[in-house]
Amino acid sequence: MKPMKRTIAVIDLKSFYASCECVCRHLDPFSTPLVCCDPYRSGSSVVMSVSPFLKERYGVPNVCRRRDLPTIDGMIYAVPRMSYYLKVSAKVLAIFLDYVALEDIHVYSVDESFIDLTGYLSYYDCPPEAIVARIQADIEKKLGITATAGISENMFLAKCALDKEGKKRPPYLANWDQEEGRSRLRNIYPLNEIWGIAGGISERLHRRGIRSISDLASSSPDMLKREFGIMGEQLFDMSNGIDRSRMNENYEPVNPSLTLGQTLNRDYRGAEISLLVREMGEELAVRLQAQEKLSGKVSLMLGYSDGLRPFSRQRTLVSPTDDTATLVSNLLFLLRDANGRLPIRSLSIAYGKLVEPDYEQLSLLEDPEEKDRRRRLARATDAIHSLFGRDSLLPCSALTKASTLKMRHGQIGGHKQ
């Protein structure tokens, strides 16, 4: 039986962070030179968002470095406030729920969501453009933020319609059917301009002589599958405007993991890196214990400020554990392989191979009473943090110049709350 034709919309909040800052200042985002960036950090700090005025008048990209911004009279620097943006995002989701059920919404990011309108066209007795236009008008009226949209028969084409037409000009709404989408895709170049084709994949396709969507659509599906595996089949489908994914399908990761990372404000070396690895290892262990999981693998990655290839190592543990001391000691063991003389600017860790704590493997090399004492101490510490905040009880190392613990406690996603 032929599958039912679907109608998918994707709605994006235009220059979301910058628009939020303009609205709360009673300013028009389309005539205000505002950047969402901390002016007190270094020139290499990332600009989270710029107002539509700066994009359209000066060609400033939405994400860049502060040092790359043009010098403009009256430029407004807004220090990012992630907790505020998340509250506004929740209000947008509430507006979506006025029109569709939660199971028909896929929140892709804080400022972008997919909505399956298939089952609502007969209910509202109007075309999908009319439903989306009503949602856009509600967002504008209630929150003062302009929403852009793309509509098509699947998520991929809806996203392409949004990026290539819906975001460009009023009424900020584009509807591509599959035939139109297939035709428009052929004109997009380079390949990494297409949603889902990242730089690494694009480079591998270039080495195969595939430099455009037309090249991809006329290439051999068997060759793509040999080169990219299941991703090769998806690439071939995408080049023909086909996307077989479903929004309401539950995804269960084969190898679940917990990760934590940070970009540093200056170069770190030697003992300073050991301190950060220890702090982050302990912090991630708290998350592991809160989820009542055990980790069977630890991973460490370091990024160097001189552009050298990142350092990456992982280690499988003798048996899965949630013991903080064991996890941190294994991370520090991996750190020994890194060149401590090189300046480091980014750091991330991960606990992988997560399993349920159905049993615990005892070891002759560990004192079970000491291990139990550490576990009870960790639970007591977590309880204090839950009641009084994460800064209510800190290790002495948090007071050192190298520590970033207190700073990260005041952040969401690497930015100020």
Side-chain angles (χ1 to χ4, degrees):
M1 185 174 69
K2 187 176 180 180
M4 179 177 64
K5 179 180 175 181
R6 309 201 69 79
T7 301
I8 306 296
V10 56
I11 297 179
D12 173 82
L13 306 174
K14 193 170 183 64
S15 302
F16 178 53
Y17 303 130
S19 292
C20 286
E21 295 294 346
C22 285
V23 168
C24 76
R25 290 166 167 80
H26 306 288
L27 300 172
D28 180 4
F30 290 89
S31 60
T32 302
L34 182 143
V35 296
C36 194
C37 173
D38 190 343
Y40 303 106
R41 300 181 69 172
S42 68
S44 61
S45 61
V46 174
V47 174
M48 287 181 60
S49 177
V50 303
S51 63
F53 173 80
L54 288 175
K55 289 182 184 178
E56 295 167 9
R57 178 72 66 86
Y58 296 95
V60 180
N62 199 38
V63 178
C64 60
R65 301 288 179 179
R66 188 166 67 85
R67 61 171 173 261
D68 299 326
L69 291 170
T71 302
I72 301 172
D73 290 339
M75 180 83 87
I76 299 172
Y77 285 87
V79 177
R81 299 178 288 165
M82 286 305 299
S83 58
Y84 170 60
Y85 308 143
L86 292 174
K87 289 177 182 177
V88 177
S89 181
K91 291 179 181 178
V92 173
L93 179 59
I95 292 173
F96 294 158
L97 291 172
D98 289 338
Y99 292 87
V100 300
L102 182 61
E103 56 265 28
D104 292 314
I105 302 172
H106 172 67
V107 178
Y108 181 65
S109 66
V110 69
D111 62 345
E112 191 169 331
S113 296
F114 289 87
I115 301 177
D116 190 341
L117 295 174
T118 308
Y120 299 90
L121 300 181
S122 59
Y123 175 78
Y124 288 108
D125 191 25
C126 63
E129 295 95 329
I131 302 174
V132 173
R134 286 170 60 183
I135 295 174
Q136 290 175 295
D138 263 6
I139 294 172
E140 179 81 35
K141 180 180 178 181
K142 295 177 180 178
L143 302 176
I145 294 175
T146 298
T148 63
I151 304 172
S152 193
E153 298 173 22
N154 57 57
M155 295 174 69
F156 171 67
L157 282 181
K159 175 66 173 170
C160 290
L162 167 73
D163 290 343
K164 300 305 173 185
E165 184 179 350
K167 290 183 177 181
K168 303 298 183 182
R169 61 189 66 86
Y172 298 115
L173 173 60
N175 187 351
W176 291 3
D177 61 28
Q178 192 166 45
E179 193 60 38
E180 181 182 10
R182 210 182 268 130
S183 174
R184 294 197 179 212
L185 285 173
R186 304 294 169 88
N187 299 321
I188 299 174
Y189 180 87
L191 281 171
N192 58 12
E193 289 290 314
I194 296 290
W195 182 57
I197 304 182
I201 295 175
S202 177
E203 289 174 7
R204 289 172 64 184
L205 289 170
H206 280 190
R207 289 197 292 268
R208 288 279 185 174
I210 301 171
R211 299 181 177 275
S212 67
I213 289 293
S214 295
D215 294 339
L216 189 58
S218 60
S219 60
S220 164
D222 291 336
M223 179 277 293
L224 291 172
K225 187 172 182 179
R226 285 194 305 271
E227 178 73 17
F228 297 96
I230 188 67
M231 174 61 76
E233 296 180 357
Q234 294 173 353
L235 287 169
F236 185 77
D237 283 347
M238 287 164 57
S239 69
N240 290 283
I242 299 170
D243 181 2
R244 305 181 195 278
S245 60
R246 290 290 177 265
M247 282 174 43
N248 53 5
E249 289 179 345
N250 291 324
Y251 170 71
E252 294 290 340
V254 177
N255 296 307
S257 64
L258 293 176
T259 62
L260 182 63
Q262 63 174 312
T263 299
L264 305 170
N265 292 330
R266 61 174 177 83
D267 292 345
Y268 274 64
R269 292 179 172 82
E272 292 182 324
I273 291 297
S274 298
L275 171 64
L276 296 188
V277 169
R278 180 178 295 279
E279 286 184 349
M280 294 172 65
E282 292 172 351
E283 191 172 355
L284 195 59
V286 172
R287 287 173 51 191
L288 181 72
Q289 294 153 7
Q291 294 189 17
E292 297 184 347
K293 300 284 187 181
L294 305 179
S295 172
K297 183 175 72 174
V298 300
S299 303
L300 173 68
M301 189 175 79
L302 306 174
Y304 300 113
S305 62
D306 54 9
L308 291 180
R309 184 176 179 180
F311 168 88
S312 180
R313 294 288 188 277
Q314 59 186 27
R315 192 182 196 200
T316 299
L317 306 181
V318 175
S319 61
T321 183
D322 66 351
D323 180 58
T324 302
T326 302
L327 294 166
V328 171
S329 65
N330 277 276
L331 286 171
L332 293 174
F333 180 86
L334 294 176
L335 185 62
R336 297 176 189 175
D337 291 339
N339 188 339
R341 292 172 297 175
L342 291 171
I344 293 171
R345 271 301 181 96
S346 65
L347 168 64
S348 64
I349 64 171
Y351 294 155
K353 291 188 176 179
L354 304 186
V355 296
E356 301 290 338
D358 296 328
Y359 67 92
E360 182 175 3
Q361 178 66 52
L362 298 178
S363 171
L364 295 174
L365 303 178
E366 288 184 308
D367 182 349
E369 293 185 358
E370 172 60 21
K371 190 173 182 179
D372 182 62
R373 187 194 69 80
R374 292 199 301 265
R375 182 176 286 115
R376 287 186 285 109
L377 177 61
R379 289 173 180 168
T381 302
D382 189 38
I384 293 172
H385 287 162
S386 298
L387 284 172
F388 304 106
R390 289 189 292 178
D391 285 345
S392 60
L393 187 62
L394 295 169
C396 293
S397 61
L399 302 177
T400 63
K401 185 178 179 180
S403 175
T404 61
L405 189 60
K406 293 184 69 176
M407 179 187 70
R408 287 186 289 109
H409 283 176
Q411 295 178 335
I412 298 176
H415 299 278
K416 290 183 178 180
Q417 294 185 32

